[in-house]
Amino acid sequence: MAPALSQDAQNQDLPVSRSIALDIEKVSHRYERDGRQLQVLDDVSLKIEPGEFVALLGPSGCGKSTLLRLAAGLETATSGDVLEDGRSIRAPSPDRILVFQEATLFPWRTVRANVAIGLEARGLIRESEHRIDDVLKLVKLEGFADFYPHQLSGGMAQRAALARALVNDPKLLLLDEPFGKLDSLTRLRMQNELLDLWKNAGFTALLVTHDVEEALLLADRVIVLSDRPASIVAEVRVERPHPRRRDDAELIALRGSILETLGISHDV
Ligand SMILES: Nc1ncnc2c1ncn2[C@@H]1O[C@H](COP(=O)(O)OP(=O)(O)OP(=O)(O)O)[C@@H](O)[C@H]1O
Ligand SMILES: [Mg+2]
């Protein structure tokens, strides 16, 4: 068994080391294209506690994926700083894994071989072979290890992408609209699975979603971003225990106020 995926979190004697604090400090970001500057983030500051689950909501194109890429270390902010446990993030690390908006499985590799990629790259494949079986079981794909991506449903492909992230036992899991393309039933199931994984593994989670309900069902805190360049326009703490019900009156009220912040009428 890959210990940190479940046992560590349940063992009260162990220090909480499976998660990190993420500190986004006065971050502004610009892209340059054809000599023109595109301002994407404008003075975003956000502190995320170790083990916290935070959801990011905001209009399309406002800069949500950009923020995740900065946290993953795939890009460096034009100004400000992104810190992991107080240290500046300068490069990608297996501790901080981004599950991309588009499921990016390699079509020529089986599910098992896709999940193995991170371990292979780190030269850990021999001693960690069993971890692949563990995570495939965790995302309920143990019977599909030898399938190729084109033989999977959309939900299964997303679960495989999640397994590929989890096999690295990340301390920070960055999720970019991971369920956006799934049908609503699969989506509900995946949301519950993600919550279970988060509870058991103890990582810090930052989830980008377009779905206000999804944010409220899953997160400890929901951050609402403005249009590009994104700045934080609202921050909502969700203090309801899990499992949450979508017809919970408090969540419905929060949904209304978030939709209002986003400039959308209540009855959508
Ligand atoms: N590498 C890049 N070079 C130039 N511009 C970029 C680059 N990546 C993103 N952008 C631009 O930055 C803006 C924000 O993009 P980003 O992908 O962060 O938005 P988003 O909030 O994730 O949108 P969506 O909800 O549609 O996924 C967009 O206008 C996009 O065109
Ligand atoms: Mg995006």
Side-chain angles (χ1 to χ4, degrees):
M1 176 68 206
L5 281 174
S6 60
Q7 290 167 354
D8 278 10
Q10 289 159 14
N11 186 338
Q12 302 296 312
D13 300 335
L14 282 174
V16 182
S17 62
R18 294 317 316 156
S19 55
I20 58 159
L22 181 71
D23 221 338
I24 297 166
E25 275 186 356
K26 296 179 184 299
V27 163
S28 295
H29 196 62
R30 281 192 304 276
Y31 288 113
E32 213 173 304
R33 237 188 87 111
D34 303 331
R36 286 180 34 208
Q37 306 258 336
L38 187 76
Q39 180 83 27
V40 177
L41 299 172
D42 180 24
D43 198 23
V44 174
S45 290
L46 177 62
K47 265 183 191 298
I48 302 180
E49 304 291 328
E52 197 181 5
F53 196 134
V54 171
L56 277 181
L57 282 170
S60 182
C62 76
K64 303 180 295 296
S65 296
T66 301
L67 203 53
L68 291 195
R69 284 201 295 273
L70 294 174
L74 297 170
E75 283 179 51
T76 307
T78 316
S79 68
D81 210 355
V82 184
L83 305 124
E84 156 189 41
D85 289 338
R87 292 179 307 274
S88 283
I89 293 173
R90 294 271 171 255
S93 149
D95 282 344
R96 288 175 265 108
I97 298 280
L98 172 57
V99 178
F100 289 92
Q101 197 163 354
E102 305 294 330
T104 49
L105 299 175
F106 292 109
W108 58 87
R109 285 185 157 228
T110 62
V111 166
R112 164 178 287 278
N114 264 287
V115 171
I117 284 173
L119 296 173
E120 274 173 26
R122 291 155 69 200
L124 297 174
I125 194 72
R126 267 166 199 262
E127 59 268 44
S128 306
E129 196 74 36
H130 64 284
R131 291 186 53 86
I132 299 178
D133 296 315
D134 291 339
V135 290
L136 286 176
K137 212 173 280 171
L138 220 54
V139 299
K140 303 186 177 64
L141 281 179
E142 64 269 41
F144 299 90
D146 298 325
F147 278 50
Y148 285 87
H150 76 272
Q151 297 169 320
L152 304 177
S153 71
M156 290 161 80
Q158 283 292 2
R159 294 213 294 275
L162 204 53
R164 190 174 54 183
L166 293 169
V167 81
N168 295 294
D169 202 10
K171 295 181 179 178
L172 173 66
L173 188 61
L174 302 158
L175 298 152
D176 200 349
E177 299 191 42
F179 313 136
K181 295 200 176 61
L182 304 181
D183 66 86
S184 53
L185 272 183
T186 312
R187 194 183 177 105
L188 289 180
R189 206 170 299 135
M190 291 288 294
Q191 288 168 349
N192 288 332
E193 282 168 18
L194 174 62
L195 264 185
D196 285 345
L197 288 170
W198 169 67
K199 280 188 211 145
N200 291 331
F203 48 75
T204 308
L206 182 55
L207 166 83
V208 165
T209 174
H210 271 123
D211 182 345
V212 180
E213 228 171 55
E214 178 170 285
L216 289 169
L217 281 175
L218 299 179
D220 296 317
R221 205 152 39 113
V222 180
I223 309 292
V224 185
L225 299 172
S226 69
D227 261 321
R228 181 177 62 78
S231 58
I232 295 177
V233 287
E235 202 177 312
V236 173
R237 205 167 270 285
V238 190
E239 280 169 347
R240 308 297 291 156
H242 293 289
R244 293 179 185 158
R245 294 175 54 106
R246 23 190 77 232
D247 58 358
D248 182 313
E250 202 170 304
L251 295 190
I252 292 172
L254 289 175
R255 176 174 180 270
S257 69
I258 290 174
L259 286 175
E260 211 163 285
T261 311
L262 287 164
I264 303 164
S265 125
H266 276 221
D267 38 44
V268 178

